[in-house]
Amino acid sequence: MKAKVYVTLKPSVLDPQGKAIHQAIKTIGYPSVADIRQGKYFELNIKEGLSEEDARQEIQHLAHSVLANPVIEDYKIEIEK
Amino acid sequence: MKAKVYVTLKPSVLDPQGKAIHQAIKTIGYPSVADIRQGKYFELNIKEGLSEEDARQEIQHLAHSVLANPVIEDYKIEIEK
């Protein structure tokens, strides 16, 4: 089983890294990009023998306590068979 | 219009960052995670007035030449209305 975790800064939090990328790509010519924000992406392999429900619960806990900082970041989880 | 770009290391490329995360979460108790790889995730806002086809082409070019290093990384693009 595979799990994917997407971590993004909350919309209210400034993203200086994204701003830097945006500034850089504007100077080399991508005028149609209005804004860009960078996040993190994790691909996890889950050992066999776990139900999808249990896996989701464990990954949820892992994302909340380790992969993301829930004070300033949102996260989204996808479980794939 | 929104675009999402996912950048991941190619499967044949070692991911020391992912290995470090995996080692760390094993010690604090997530035994069912077999492997973890970290990638990057970009959310782009595209200015109005561009067709989806043109937007995809521009983002494809941007991802290939700026956001990802195609020698060691794969990327995936999603365009959202």
Side-chain angles (χ1 to χ4, degrees), chain A residues 5-6 16 20 25 30 32-33 42 54 56 59:
Chain A
V5 180
Y6 309 91
I25 63 175
Y30 294 91
S32 53
V33 176
F42 300 93
D54 289 352
R56 185 176 292 276
I59 299 306

Side-chain angles (χ1 to χ4, degrees), chain A residues 6 8 25 30-47 58 61-62 65, chain B residues 6 8 25 30-47 50 58 61-62 65:
Chain A
Y6 309 91
T8 48
I25 63 175
Y30 294 91
S32 53
V33 176
D35 189 30
I36 179 164
R37 289 177 77 84
Q38 176 162 13
K40 287 176 283 186
Y41 170 61
F42 300 93
E43 265 180 14
L44 295 92
N45 276 323
I46 315 287
K47 284 179 186 154
E58 184 165 335
H61 193 266
L62 175 67
S65 58
Chain B
Y6 309 91
T8 49
I25 64 176
Y30 294 91
S32 54
V33 176
D35 188 30
I36 178 164
R37 289 176 77 84
Q38 177 162 11
K40 287 176 283 184
Y41 169 61
F42 300 92
E43 265 180 14
L44 295 92
N45 276 322
I46 314 288
K47 285 180 186 155
L50 214 65
E58 184 163 335
H61 193 266
L62 175 67
S65 57

Side-chain angles (χ1 to χ4, degrees), chain A residues 1 4-6 12-13 15-16 18 28 31-33 37 45-46 51 65 68 71 74 77 80:
Chain A
M1 203 157 32
K4 295 177 177 178
V5 180
Y6 309 91
S12 57
V13 177
D15 176 13
I28 59 171
S32 53
V33 176
R37 289 177 77 84
N45 276 323
I46 315 287
S51 75
S65 58
V71 177
D74 289 325
I77 294 168
E80 269 176 19

Side-chain angles (χ1 to χ4, degrees), chain B residues 11-27:
Chain B
S12 57
V13 177
L14 285 175
D15 176 15
Q17 193 176 9
K19 277 274 168 298
I21 299 170
H22 186 208
Q23 205 54 43
I25 64 176
K26 248 192 344 201
T27 62

Side-chain angles (χ1 to χ4, degrees), chain B residues 58-74:
Chain B
E58 184 163 335
I59 300 304
Q60 170 83 30
H61 193 266
L62 175 67
H64 191 86
S65 57
V66 182
L67 300 180
N69 175 358
V71 177
I72 57 166
E73 289 171 331
D74 288 326

